[in-house]
Amino acid sequence: MTQTDASRTGWALAIRQRHKMLPQRLVVGPACALLFSPILGLPICLGWLAIYLLLQLAEAAAFLPVIRGQTAEPKGWRRFLSDLVLAANTTAYAGIAVPLWTMGGVPGGIVATTLLSAGAINSVIASTGNMRVFIWTVLPQVAVLALTPLFLVSAGIEGRFILPVAVGVVAFIFFCLTTRSRLYVAGVAEARALKEADDKRRQAETVMAGRSGLLAAVAHDLRTPISAILTGAHELDRVAAPSSTARQQVAMIEDAGLMMKDLLDDLLDHARLDAGRLKVEARDFDLRDLLNHTFRLWQGPIGAKGLRLRLDGSRHMPRMVRGDAMRLRQVLNNLISNAVKFTEAGAITVQLRSWQDEAGLHVLLIDVADTGPGMTTGQMDRLFTPFDQTADGVAARYGGSGLGLAISRDLIELMGGRLTVRSQAGQGSVFTVALTLPGGVASEPAPAAAPAVLPRQFGAAARALIPPPEDKAAPVAAPPSDVETAAAVAPAGTEEAEANEVETGAEAGEEAERALRVLVVDDHAINRRAIQVILQSIECEIAMAENGMAALQACETGAFDVIFMDVRMPELDGRETTRRLRAGDGPNARTPVIAVTADTAPEDIAACLAAGMNHFVAKPLTPAVLLTALGQALDDAAAADADAEAAA
């Protein structure tokens, strides 16, 4: 039996139960001293009370390690000391009965008998069936109680009264023993039940951990072929699908890939929720912007199905709030997608309401109503059940895994809100999100700056990835070329100017527009090929590495403009590879590293950034996401070089 199991049964449990009754004993002692003082006198009662209280404190101090859970049962001399403290405490309590008999006569003896009976019953309960605690806390009181017939004889009571009293004492002792036996059996059964429950809990945790690990591994492997499907479909649509029939087939392949991606994301979210690993963030965001962006995305699909999208109350919503914008957008997309799926004619109506409560928090009510077939009571009872494929189940009748609504409900509950539904057969359904969010603070926009000058002259396609400056109110003149900069340093016609022109011309020839140098690090050939296919649309020189060690060797022999780094790899994973790259002084110590990962939880992303990675893209890869991350990485690198030159 482990220390944890022992603390729940036997001696430790009895000591804990007895400690819970310490306040009761501290009240009973002074009360007895006060009540007995007319019989025994105040000096005797005060002396007894002092001994009694000191023994209570000694017991509390002796068993403090047990109460704190530091030990389950003492050994050696500590075991003897603990028994001695228990026996002394109970003997002091029972000992007051002797002067009550000798000084108070039969009335005092009646008080003593009542006192001993109550104390014995209390000690039987407190010992919780443990024999050691029972012996040292119950037997001293029962032993004094067994002297009752002798006290009656010394008081001159007739024999016809003494025998019934003796029988009653024996019956009471027998009652204490049988009660102790029942408590022991009940304690053993409870301990066994607790142990079985703990074993099952540990087994369940092991199964959940194994399932989560399996899902994570399967998800990581599945994202590789999905990336290939999406990348191949994009390239076919771009260069190899001239006919409308071929384009329809390509669109079908791309839709299937996106469907697989969405299902995989739902499965991972469901597994994280079951394992308790999914957490929500708390960041300031623009709620109105989130809502408007979400609704704009759905206008096309809803209109294509012949439905109408109605939005009411958006002007009453607060602008800046604090919460998890990504998860809230996920819930809204799930609810609107669900409404579109089940509505064949009519409208999807989104009703928005908001007000501030007494604490200044924003209370949000978001209703997503449809004009679909509605649901019966039985269907609503199973509505949030994942993988419901029963005959009356919604998933069985309309398809899908049934994960979206279950995940949405769990996400809203994680954010401290509720997701409810109202529906009647033939009258549509209304899903209501009730959520309370604190106010947020708008971030100050960064000052507009001139476009950063790239440290190398990439090809036009690569330069197009750099996003333009946001402030277009005042156009900024293009930065001068290297030749113009050199000519401005020395007047024309001088020897120095001529030398500069010759040098600059040579440099211009070397720094002429060239392909972007990219290193792709991934242990799976399909992923490396997918990135290569996506980057074919721009001028790139692509080098490949199948693990972290190979990547470090490649970085020692050549300079790269960007590195795409897979996170999960054998031998040396992407994070450790990046840490070693940053710690060195090679030509790629400051090269932007873009993490390519299937792990998109906040803690996983934070770990990538902490390792020195600059950006990340989630698997399965899509061309738009990959090229956007590449553009951001180039822009950040150019801005960093421009800042370094300005500081110099």
Side-chain angles (χ1 to χ4, degrees):
M1 182 180 293
T2 64
Q3 178 172 324
T4 302
D5 295 333
S7 65
R8 293 176 176 174
T9 60
W11 187 84
L13 180 61
I15 293 302
R16 293 177 185 274
Q17 185 66 26
R18 181 172 173 81
H19 181 74
K20 292 179 181 178
M21 296 182 178
L22 178 60
Q24 177 182 340
R25 295 199 301 273
L26 293 177
V27 172
V28 169
C32 289
L34 179 63
L35 294 174
F36 298 162
S37 58
I39 303 174
L40 305 179
L42 188 59
I44 294 177
C45 290
L46 291 178
W48 172 83
L49 179 61
I51 296 173
Y52 178 81
L53 293 178
L54 285 175
L55 289 172
Q56 302 303 320
L57 295 177
E59 179 179 329
F63 297 136
L64 189 59
V66 181
I67 304 304
R68 291 178 175 176
Q70 298 173 350
T71 182
E73 190 168 354
K75 305 294 183 181
W77 65 270
R78 295 182 182 275
R79 181 186 181 97
F80 171 76
L81 179 61
S82 64
D83 293 343
L84 182 62
V85 169
L86 287 175
N89 197 337
T90 309
T91 302
Y93 176 79
I96 194 66
V98 176
L100 284 173
W101 271 106
T102 57
M103 300 176 64
V106 175
I110 294 174
V111 174
T113 302
T114 305
L115 181 69
L116 291 172
S117 301
I121 294 173
N122 184 73
S123 297
V124 168
I125 296 173
S127 65
T128 60
N130 182 260
M131 181 57 74
R132 278 182 57 203
V133 179
F134 176 84
I135 290 173
W136 298 118
T137 60
V138 178
L139 290 188
Q141 301 178 82
V142 172
V144 177
L145 186 63
L147 298 176
T148 300
L150 298 179
F151 289 130
L152 290 175
V153 171
S154 64
I157 302 299
E158 297 180 13
R160 59 194 180 95
F161 295 107
I162 295 177
L163 181 60
V165 171
V167 172
V169 170
V170 172
F172 179 78
I173 295 174
F174 179 76
F175 166 78
C176 290
L177 292 173
T178 55
T179 301
R180 179 261 161 195
S181 177
R182 293 192 185 97
L183 288 174
Y184 175 76
V185 173
V188 170
E190 181 182 3
R192 186 181 297 112
L194 287 173
K195 186 176 184 304
E196 291 177 357
D198 281 347
D199 292 342
K200 291 181 179 179
R201 176 183 58 81
R202 285 192 288 268
Q203 291 175 2
E205 290 176 350
T206 302
V207 170
M208 290 300 300
R211 190 176 76 169
S212 298
L214 176 63
L215 279 175
V218 171
H220 185 269
D221 292 339
L222 283 179
R223 289 179 188 273
T224 295
I226 293 176
S227 296
I229 292 172
L230 293 176
T231 302
H234 180 269
E235 285 300 303
L236 285 173
D237 183 61
R238 188 174 67 88
V239 300
S243 66
S244 59
T245 302
R247 290 186 181 278
Q248 291 176 0
Q249 299 298 326
V250 170
M252 181 179 64
I253 295 173
E254 189 170 11
D255 289 342
L258 292 174
M259 184 183 299
M260 292 172 64
K261 175 182 178 298
D262 292 340
L263 178 58
L264 186 61
D265 290 339
D266 285 344
L267 285 171
L268 288 177
D269 282 345
H270 179 66
R272 292 191 186 109
L273 285 166
D274 277 352
R277 292 184 60 244
L278 189 61
K279 297 178 174 60
V280 294
E281 295 183 342
R283 295 183 179 178
D284 295 341
F285 67 95
D286 191 326
L287 178 61
R288 292 187 186 179
D289 183 67
L290 182 148
L291 294 172
N292 291 332
H293 184 264
T294 301
F295 298 143
R296 282 199 302 269
L297 289 178
W298 281 102
Q299 284 178 347
I302 291 176
K305 196 174 181 180
L307 304 175
R308 300 185 306 277
L309 176 61
R310 295 175 179 173
L311 178 63
D312 186 19
S314 60
R315 64 183 181 276
H316 300 304
M317 302 299 283
R319 180 168 294 280
M320 297 304 301
V321 294
R322 186 170 182 81
D324 195 322
M326 182 185 72
R327 293 302 181 183
L328 181 57
R329 182 185 289 110
Q330 179 180 351
V331 171
L332 292 176
N333 283 330
N334 279 337
L335 295 181
I336 298 176
S337 174
N338 184 74
V340 174
K341 178 179 181 180
F342 295 108
T343 305
E344 297 299 331
I348 309 296
T349 302
V350 180
Q351 176 77 36
L352 304 173
R353 287 165 288 172
S354 175
W355 64 89
Q356 281 189 310
D357 62 9
E358 296 178 354
L361 303 177
H362 297 287
V363 180
L364 311 179
L365 287 181
I366 304 175
D367 291 336
V368 180
D370 61 61
T371 56
M375 291 176 286
T376 64
T377 303
Q379 288 173 337
M380 284 195 294
D381 291 340
R382 293 188 297 270
L383 183 61
F384 296 103
T385 303
F387 312 109
D388 179 20
Q389 299 295 336
T390 60
D392 293 334
V394 176
R397 296 181 60 188
Y398 295 94
S401 63
L403 285 175
L405 289 178
I407 292 172
S408 298
R409 180 197 58 186
D410 292 340
L411 287 176
I412 291 298
E413 289 179 354
L414 279 177
M415 289 187 276
R418 292 184 61 195
L419 174 60
T420 58
V421 59
R422 306 187 309 275
S423 182
Q424 291 184 5
Q427 299 185 19
S429 304
V430 180
F431 288 84
T432 301
V433 174
L435 191 61
T436 301
L437 297 176
V441 179
S443 58
E444 295 183 1
V453 181
L454 290 177
R456 304 173 179 86
Q457 299 300 316
F458 300 135
R463 290 199 308 272
L465 293 173
I466 306 284
E470 304 230 351
D471 187 0
K472 298 182 181 179
V476 182
S481 66
D482 291 344
V483 176
E484 293 171 340
T485 302
V489 173
T494 64
E495 294 181 1
E496 184 179 359
E498 294 176 0
N500 281 339
E501 289 177 3
V502 174
E503 278 184 26
T504 304
E507 290 176 1
E510 293 176 0
E511 294 293 338
E513 287 191 0
R514 63 167 178 78
L516 190 70
R517 289 191 287 263
V518 179
L519 175 63
V520 179
V521 187
D522 199 297
D523 62 318
H524 208 296
I526 292 180
N527 285 332
R528 299 196 299 270
R529 176 60 179 160
I531 296 177
Q532 183 182 27
V533 169
I534 294 173
L535 295 181
Q536 285 177 353
S537 60
I538 61 176
E539 300 172 28
C540 286
E541 293 178 1
I542 303 176
M544 303 284 191
E546 62 182 9
N547 55 56
M549 297 301 298
L552 292 176
Q553 293 175 1
C555 289
E556 291 176 357
T557 58
F560 299 97
D561 301 308
V562 176
I563 299 174
F564 286 96
M565 182 77 68
D566 186 25
V567 174
R568 289 193 184 187
M569 292 185 294
E571 292 191 42
L572 198 65
D573 65 22
R575 294 169 185 164
E576 182 59 28
T577 302
T578 305
R579 278 191 285 265
R580 295 188 185 185
L581 184 66
R582 298 295 186 228
D585 56 356
N588 297 284
R590 295 178 56 197
T591 300
V593 176
I594 301 175
V596 183
T597 175
D599 303 320
T600 57
E603 58 270 20
D604 296 321
I605 296 173
C608 291
L609 297 178
M613 297 177 170
N614 304 89
H615 299 276
F616 76 94
V617 290
K619 296 179 181 179
L621 299 175
T622 60
V625 173
L626 188 86
L627 294 176
T628 298
L630 178 59
Q632 291 176 348
L634 293 176
D635 187 38
D636 291 347
D641 288 344
D643 291 341
E645 292 178 3

